[in-house]
Amino acid sequence: WILTYSQKGWSLNEERRHKAHYWRAAKVKEWRAKFKELAEEAKIPHMDAIRIEVFTTFATRRLQDPANNLPASKAAVDGLVDAGVIEDDVPTLLKSITFHAGTYDKGNDSVSLLVIDCSDE
């Protein structure tokens, strides 16, 4: 399953600049809710274990390093937990998160999660 939110994810660097807790809390709430909604719309079933691959697009040529998208991706994974895709995001259930290098897509910001069932591993 591929779930895409057409918004720019916030970065570790951005999160460190905003020291106010309410700023981060509002972002986490938005992203958790959106990815919960996307998972429910896609009818992703409950799985015993998953792997996640994160893909980002940027509206400008100013790309960030792949792992800099961690805060937005973490909130998105929490949305999958909220949707019941996995019970929790502990290592026995969330086997890995792979961050792919972002790509330029003029005028389009997005974060996509590829959700891979690895219950049989």
Side-chain angles (χ1 to χ4, degrees):
W1 293 267
I2 297 177
L3 306 176
T4 300
Y5 189 21
S6 296
Q7 295 291 320
K8 184 178 181 196
W10 77 98
S11 68
L12 275 173
N13 295 338
E14 187 176 9
E15 188 171 89
R16 289 174 181 159
R17 279 194 305 270
H18 292 277
K19 302 204 186 292
H21 172 74
Y22 67 87
W23 181 89
R24 181 183 183 282
K27 294 292 237 180
V28 168
K29 182 178 180 180
E30 171 193 348
W31 282 68
R32 279 184 86 139
K34 184 59 178 182
F35 275 86
K36 177 181 190 247
E37 175 187 317
L38 289 169
E40 290 172 345
E41 287 174 0
K43 296 182 174 34
I44 299 179
H46 174 79
M47 293 177 242
D48 293 329
I50 62 172
R51 295 186 189 284
I52 298 287
E53 295 192 26
V54 180
F55 298 87
T56 53
T57 62
F58 296 96
T60 67
R61 293 190 187 275
R62 188 167 183 225
L63 304 177
Q64 30 178 280
D65 62 274
N68 204 14
N69 205 293
L70 175 67
S73 301
K74 167 67 173 137
V77 170
D78 288 341
L80 298 180
V81 173
D82 295 343
V85 174
I86 54 173
E87 198 169 313
D88 198 359
D89 57 355
V90 297
T92 53
L93 306 178
L94 178 59
K95 299 292 188 172
S96 66
I97 300 178
T98 303
F99 293 91
H100 293 270
T103 58
Y104 169 64
D105 186 9
K106 186 176 182 178
N108 297 305
D109 285 314
S110 70
V111 175
S112 298
L113 299 187
L114 173 62
V115 181
I116 304 164
D117 185 359
C118 62
S119 300
D120 296 334
E121 293 179 13

